[in-house]
Amino acid sequence: MNPTHPRPEEGSTLLEILIATTVFVVVLGLSLALATSFARFGGDADADAAAQFDAHRSFTRVESILRQGWSTPELSASGELLEIDLLGYSYNGSTGEWDRILPETWRRGYNLSLGQYYFEDSSGSPLPVVQCSLEWQRLSADPASDDYHFGDVVCTIFDSLGNSSSSTLATRIGTYQLNEAGTDRLPGLSFEIQGLSIIVQLNLQRESDHVPYSVKSRVKRRNFIEDSQ
């Protein structure tokens, strides 16, 4: 009777089983790690896209108001509050809201006797003028609080008769970015006056592990007339 020997193709040795199991575990671990990495990247990408959208939308609202400015703006020491006169707004006592004359219908004239420029509407009536403040209002007055570095962008319009109203242009604007010296966090919104232009910078980063996003632009005050004061 001849002895029988196991054929290689009939089964696997213990060593082969261990090697196959090890390779499977390694491949599975790498796949899970890669999937987690992609998921996190996708989440960060979504967060960055949302921050960019919010930043540009908020900046556009601020820019739209500044382009209606008439007087030389006044800036707070912190650069976070700007006051300026606006053209084309008048308070409607019946509705309790501000009526606005569209800038597309404005006309600029020059008074020879006074030596001054002026603006009027399409019917020839002088444009009404109101005061406006744009402010980045911090969510907390405590410098140790994280909310101190975030704030709402608030626009307040008021006239000489005491009529006033406020609206929020953007919420929770702020960042974890530090200044060039690395000593303080940048404000969410700041203004700077340069000649006939206003420099506006908006910084947005709502989570410390998100990529920070900033918008900085020069807004030309097209209605500003130097000798109008």
Side-chain angles (χ1 to χ4, degrees):
M1 186 174 181
N2 296 327
T4 59
H5 299 281
R7 298 178 181 178
E9 61 273 14
E10 291 181 351
S12 300
T13 65
L14 179 60
L15 179 60
E16 290 174 332
I17 294 175
L18 290 175
I19 293 175
T21 303
T22 302
V23 171
F24 174 77
V25 171
V26 171
V27 171
L28 179 62
L30 290 175
S31 300
L32 292 175
L34 188 60
T36 302
S37 177
F38 280 144
R40 181 175 181 181
F41 173 79
D44 289 345
D46 292 341
D48 296 341
Q52 292 184 35
F53 177 78
D54 285 349
H56 281 282
R57 179 178 57 181
S58 303
F59 181 86
T60 299
R61 291 173 177 173
V62 172
E63 180 185 37
S64 175
I65 293 174
L66 291 179
R67 291 195 181 280
Q68 302 167 48
W70 165 254
S71 63
T72 303
E74 296 182 5
L75 191 61
S76 67
S78 65
E80 299 167 6
L81 168 64
L82 182 140
E83 293 185 348
I84 195 170
D85 290 346
L86 296 185
L87 284 170
Y89 284 85
S90 61
Y91 187 76
N92 189 323
S94 300
T95 63
E97 298 179 350
W98 296 94
D99 291 336
R100 183 192 179 198
I101 302 174
L102 296 178
E104 292 79 10
T105 65
W106 297 357
R107 297 187 304 189
R108 191 179 76 174
Y110 186 78
N111 190 317
L112 290 174
S113 60
L114 298 177
Q116 292 181 343
Y117 288 95
Y118 63 90
F119 284 89
E120 59 185 17
D121 60 20
S122 58
S123 65
S125 300
L127 286 178
V129 180
V130 298
Q131 293 174 289
C132 171
S133 69
L134 280 169
E135 181 180 11
W136 180 59
Q137 295 183 353
R138 297 179 184 267
L139 299 179
S140 173
D142 181 11
S145 169
D146 194 53
D147 282 342
Y148 177 79
H149 302 284
F150 291 87
D152 296 338
V153 180
V154 179
C155 173
T156 302
I157 298 177
F158 51 98
D159 60 18
S160 58
L161 300 177
N163 300 307
S164 176
S165 65
S166 297
S167 59
T168 301
L169 304 182
T171 60
R172 198 165 178 78
I173 301 297
T175 185
Y176 291 86
Q177 296 180 80
L178 299 178
N179 58 15
E180 292 183 358
T183 55
D184 298 299
R185 274 160 64 169
L186 294 173
L189 180 68
S190 62
F191 304 96
E192 180 184 351
I193 300 174
Q194 289 187 0
L196 301 184
S197 299
I198 301 173
I199 307 299
V200 185
Q201 180 165 347
L202 188 148
N203 303 299
L204 186 58
Q205 182 189 18
R206 293 200 170 106
E207 299 293 340
S208 60
D209 58 345
H210 287 175
V211 177
Y213 191 78
S214 298
V215 181
K216 184 176 183 179
S217 183
R218 180 188 302 269
V219 179
K220 177 75 173 180
R221 290 178 283 134
R222 64 180 181 183
N223 306 315
F224 176 76
I225 306 298
E226 220 169 340
D227 59 355
S228 65
Q229 299 300 308

